[in-house]
Amino acid sequence: TWYIGLSAVLPLAAMAGAMMVATPALKQQLIAAILIYAGLMVAFTGGMRWGVEVARAGRTVPDNGRLLLGGMSVAAAFVVLIAAPMLPAEFGWQIALATLGVVAVLQLLWDIWAGIRGDIPRWMVVFRVVVTALAAGFLSLLWWAAGRVDETPPPPPVGTFAPLPDT
């Protein structure tokens, strides 16, 4: 479990390294990739919460409120990724990434609370804290590296790719 969880932050580490040496055009692509990957991570944590609730309920009916809250991270990631290209180009990606970060922290707090209540095992709480802290660290480094060159152009809309240079 630890190897799988820690491997989830490896793409962020790779993108952080690439961002440090990236050209402005490559930074655009990396920012789009970072937003997509962060959105997937946030959506996955909601899926974990859904699974925890189904497992907790056992043969009884799961709590619809908990299921709804678990699904909200998927909806939040979707809205952020759709809205990101509509935000101001100068700082839209920062708003999108910060929003995903807030959702991730809320999911983490929910996991900590669930651990205190005994709904999930202690190892899962420790696991989530470690993985979330690593992801937040790499995302902070990416944020810094993306903005360290003033002439960095705004990223393209999520899901699009910059044209290749003419040869």
Side-chain angles (χ1 to χ4, degrees):
T1 302
W2 279 97
Y3 293 122
I4 295 168
L6 295 176
S7 69
V9 298
L10 289 178
L12 295 175
M15 287 187 272
M19 188 70 80
M20 299 292 237
V21 297
T23 63
L26 180 57
K27 281 187 178 188
Q28 292 180 19
Q29 298 302 310
L30 286 170
I31 289 169
I34 291 161
L35 286 174
I36 292 168
Y37 194 73
L40 289 170
M41 289 180 78
V42 164
F44 182 78
T45 61
M48 285 184 358
R49 296 302 311 156
W50 183 285
V52 164
E53 176 55 24
V54 170
R56 185 199 63 77
R59 294 178 185 244
T60 64
V61 176
D63 181 90
N64 286 332
R66 290 181 183 182
L67 293 176
L68 180 64
L69 285 173
M72 293 304 289
S73 63
V74 176
F78 177 75
V79 168
V80 166
L81 293 176
I82 294 299
M86 298 177 230
L87 297 170
E90 303 81 36
F91 54 85
W93 68 268
Q94 291 103 326
I95 293 171
L97 192 57
T99 303
L100 291 171
V102 167
V103 175
V105 167
L106 290 173
Q107 287 286 347
L108 176 62
L109 293 173
W110 186 8
D111 282 347
I112 292 169
W113 177 68
I116 291 168
R117 288 186 39 185
D119 290 342
I120 60 174
R122 183 170 182 255
W123 71 263
M124 187 175 175
V125 176
V126 173
F127 173 80
R128 285 275 290 121
V129 168
V130 169
V131 171
T132 302
L134 286 170
F138 284 122
L139 287 172
S140 298
L141 180 61
L142 284 159
W143 185 306
W144 171 81
R148 72 182 172 97
V149 179
D150 290 339
E151 64 271 10
T152 301
V158 174
T160 62
F161 297 93
L164 294 173
D166 293 330
T167 54

